[in-house]
Amino acid sequence: MSSFQHLSVAELKTKIHAGESLQLVDIRDAASFAAGHIPGAFNLNNDNLADYIRDADMDQPLVVICYHGISSQGASTYLVEQGFDQVFSLDGGFQSWQDNR
């Protein structure tokens, strides 16, 4: 069974600037997401999780973003178990993204 991989903010920025096709899911609460998020990210929550999994491209790399890079690890493990081939947890989460703009 494969597991998720860790991804630094610098590595994510390199992938985005290179035009790599990525799915970005932000698991923070709706208010935090609305206050700011990585461009192109989707706010994934318990209410839309089943629909997201059903409609997502399981072969396209998936990056999971949370507040500080902790909760995203558990979510990443779950998404690997659901059949996503390549899942990354963003180290440091959205806070690190903001701190390294």
Side-chain angles (χ1 to χ4, degrees):
M1 174 109 202
S2 65
S3 62
F4 73 90
Q5 301 169 60
H6 290 271
L7 188 70
S8 71
V9 167
E11 290 169 321
L12 177 57
K13 288 182 177 186
T14 297
K15 289 178 177 293
I16 290 171
H17 291 309
E20 288 190 34
S21 185
L22 301 169
Q23 300 175 88
L24 304 174
V25 293
D26 189 323
I27 62 170
R28 296 175 302 138
D29 68 273
S32 295
F33 182 83
H37 57 272
I38 297 173
F42 175 77
N43 190 208
L44 186 63
N45 58 51
N46 287 335
D47 294 332
N48 62 22
L49 178 61
D51 290 336
Y52 184 83
I53 290 171
R54 183 190 66 233
D55 297 336
D57 181 348
M58 298 288 195
D59 298 324
Q60 186 179 32
L62 176 68
V63 180
V64 183
I65 304 144
C66 66
Y67 296 96
H68 300 106
I70 306 300
S71 299
S72 59
Q73 294 179 47
S76 294
T77 297
Y78 176 79
L79 291 165
V80 166
E81 291 169 353
Q82 301 312 302
F84 286 90
D85 291 336
Q86 193 174 17
V87 180
F88 298 92
S89 173
L90 183 64
D91 290 340
F94 183 73
Q95 185 64 52
S96 183
W97 173 271
Q98 275 199 303
D99 291 347
N100 291 288
R101 280 205 244 178

